[in-house]
Amino acid sequence: IEQATKLMSAVHKRLHQAQGQEFGMLKSLLMEDPEALWRHNKKSKVLKILVKEAGQQPLVDAEVAAEARHREMFLAALADCELVPAADPNTSSQTERYMKVVAMRQMAQSNQNIDLDKVDKRAFQVMGVDDGDSFFKQQVPGSAQPTPEQVTAEATKTAAEARLIDSNTRKLEATTKAETAQQDFQNKKELKALDISKELIIHQSDQVNATQATQEQATQRAADRVHKLGLASAANRHSAGVAAADRNHAAHQNSLGIAHKIVAAHADRTHEAMQGGIDRDHQANQNALDRSADSAPPPPDGIEPA
């Protein structure tokens, strides 16, 4: 709505300001010449009010004094008041006025300190309804004072109702006490039954625990026996394994000794053969050298053999 009426609101605010300036100028003109308000209107309501305030003196008999009196009263009224536009410059349309009325009614419904009737009267005024007061209900006048007999009868009736209420209250209390006692007895009975059930459960739990302990002990003994048998079997297997390992080691040592002897004998034979070959080669070389020396010609004179 504000977006749609933005231009209209701006024009409305400036018209409001212009009207306020116009009222100020009108007030200044009236203060300069106050008689201009009724000079040409002999049936003016303002003139009648001024005449009444001046003492209802005839205008014909004391025209000069009355005019002066009227002038003074009117100038005093103008000086004491301020002429401003009655419209709201922030509300430029009837739709906004209706929305404000709806907002005021919502506030009055949620706040008990706001008089809802006055808000409704303002709503009628905003909607332009002249006889808005006729829509409200008339206040019911107060009833007449009761007679002494009516007061006595009313007091007797009130006392009887009070006694009846007291009797009903006592009866209700007795019934409540009986129900409470019955409920307590039932609760105690249920608690006793619960205690017995609890004892039975505890006893059964102890039996179950004892049975489980016995079974655990038997299982432990069987496990111990199995463990001992396993240890003995493992020891026997270890002894047999150690003996077999010793036999394997001895056989391996014997094999190594035999192989060492065979290798040593082979090495000796190989060494002897190699040594014999070397000796034979040396002897052959020596024989060849000897034969060469014997068959060589003698050296010339003066030259010694090498």
Side-chain angles (χ1 to χ4, degrees):
I1 294 175
E2 290 179 358
Q3 285 294 115
T5 60
K6 189 173 183 180
L7 179 61
M8 187 185 302
S9 298
V11 174
H12 178 73
K13 290 180 180 180
R14 282 155 181 77
L15 289 176
H16 185 275
Q17 184 179 4
Q19 190 176 26
Q21 296 177 358
E22 183 179 357
F23 286 166
M25 296 170 63
L26 180 61
K27 179 180 178 180
S28 300
L29 293 174
L30 288 175
M31 292 188 71
E32 294 178 0
D33 186 13
E35 297 178 1
L37 188 63
W38 64 81
R39 180 181 297 120
H40 303 289
N41 186 7
K42 300 302 181 181
K43 298 181 180 180
S44 173
K45 295 182 179 180
V46 177
L47 181 59
K48 291 181 179 180
I49 293 174
L50 294 176
V51 170
K52 182 177 179 181
E53 293 294 333
Q56 294 183 354
Q57 55 186 349
L59 187 59
V60 179
D61 296 340
E63 183 176 358
V64 178
E67 290 292 337
R69 178 62 176 170
H70 298 162
R71 184 185 182 89
E72 291 176 1
M73 291 179 62
F74 188 67
L75 290 176
L78 286 177
D80 192 37
C81 71
E82 183 178 0
L83 292 179
V84 294
D88 185 4
N90 298 317
T91 305
S92 60
S93 64
Q94 193 70 13
T95 304
E96 294 183 13
R97 295 187 181 92
Y98 291 155
M99 293 177 65
K100 288 184 177 181
V101 169
V102 173
M104 286 191 297
R105 292 201 87 261
Q106 291 178 354
M107 292 175 60
Q109 290 175 359
S110 61
N111 190 352
Q112 299 295 332
N113 296 324
I114 299 177
D115 191 354
L116 187 59
D117 292 339
K118 292 184 178 180
V119 174
D120 291 337
K121 290 180 180 179
R122 176 64 63 84
F124 282 126
Q125 182 180 356
V126 170
M127 288 185 291
V129 179
D130 296 333
D131 56 344
D133 295 336
S134 62
F135 292 94
F136 293 94
K137 295 180 180 179
Q138 299 295 328
Q139 296 293 334
V140 179
S143 58
Q145 294 294 332
T147 60
E149 291 79 6
Q150 293 177 349
V151 173
T152 303
E154 188 67 26
T156 304
K157 182 179 179 181
T158 304
E161 291 178 354
R163 287 194 297 270
L164 180 60
I165 292 173
D166 187 29
S167 176
N168 292 333
T169 303
R170 291 180 181 179
K171 184 178 180 180
L172 181 61
E173 290 178 355
T175 304
T176 304
K177 289 181 180 179
E179 291 178 354
T180 303
Q182 182 68 22
Q183 187 67 28
D184 292 339
F185 177 74
Q186 188 68 23
N187 292 335
K188 290 179 181 179
K189 186 177 179 180
E190 291 178 357
L191 288 175
K192 188 174 181 180
L194 289 174
D195 293 336
I196 295 172
S197 301
K198 184 178 180 182
E199 292 294 335
L200 291 175
I201 292 171
I202 293 172
H203 182 65
Q204 292 176 358
S205 178
D206 294 338
Q207 289 181 351
V208 171
N209 292 332
T211 304
Q212 290 179 355
T214 305
Q215 292 177 356
E216 289 178 357
Q217 291 177 1
T219 304
Q220 186 65 32
R221 287 195 295 270
D224 293 337
R225 289 195 297 270
V226 172
H227 182 65
K228 289 179 180 179
L229 292 174
L231 290 176
S233 177
N236 294 330
R237 288 195 299 271
H238 181 68
S239 299
V242 170
D246 291 339
R247 289 194 298 271
N248 293 330
H249 182 68
H252 182 66
Q253 290 294 331
N254 292 329
S255 299
L256 289 176
I258 294 171
H260 181 68
K261 289 178 180 181
I262 293 172
V263 171
H266 181 70
D268 291 339
R269 288 194 298 271
T270 303
H271 181 68
E272 290 176 357
M274 291 177 65
Q275 188 65 36
I278 292 170
D279 291 339
R280 287 191 298 271
D281 292 338
H282 182 69
Q283 187 64 37
N285 291 330
Q286 187 66 37
N287 293 329
L289 289 174
D290 291 339
R291 286 192 299 271
S292 298
D294 292 337
S295 62
D301 294 335
I303 300 173
E304 296 181 357

